[in-house]
Amino acid sequence: MIATSSDGDTWSDQGQGGERGINKLAYGRGLYVVGSQNWNGDGFDIRCYTSTDAESWAECPFLGDIDRLAMIAVLGGDVVVSTNSGYELWDGSSWTHDDTELPGTLLGADGEYVGAQGTRRYYGSDWRALEQVTDAERGLRDMAFGHL
């Protein structure tokens, strides 16, 4: 469900269709990006939408070119959508594609970035060039990163 509110008390359902909900979202450079990747038994059902006002939504322009939607995040101020074929980056005016693979989970704060993909962990000051720092015994599903 995508819902919007101007006062935080009254909410309007903006609808999204389909039987599964959105499970990835980010806002940066004036653009909301939401998406989902859900297994259907034969492959992934992938949905990705963008909006400048959180009321009217359009499909992501690159949606037809991807088989997987790993992550939607704000990194270095830009919106980044990680896919099976690299990533898409929104710089505030247009989308650009890069073939570089990113970890499935990638977070940053104060110029430091951490990432995870399966059992591998990454760290660095540039999200485009992270170093693998360890290979853990167990995989990681998700994480949070910040400063207190």
Side-chain angles (χ1 to χ4, degrees), residues 43-54:
F44 289 103
D45 290 327
I46 299 170
R47 294 183 299 158
C48 183
Y49 302 96
T50 64
S51 175
T52 55
D53 61 10

Side-chain angles (χ1 to χ4, degrees), residues 10-66:
T10 307
W11 292 85
S12 300
D13 182 358
Q14 300 302 317
Q16 65 183 26
E19 60 185 64
R20 299 235 177 161
I22 296 299
N23 55 25
K24 300 166 185 352
L25 65 102
Y27 174 80
R29 305 243 190 237
L31 189 70
Y32 295 91
V33 183
V34 298
S36 66
Q37 172 179 292
N38 295 295
W39 183 253
N40 65 21
D42 295 319
F44 289 103
D45 290 327
I46 299 170
R47 294 183 299 158
C48 183
Y49 302 96
T50 64
S51 175
T52 55
D53 61 10
E55 291 184 27
S56 10
W57 296 86
E59 277 195 351
C60 293
F62 49 82
L63 192 57
D65 299 328
I66 63 174

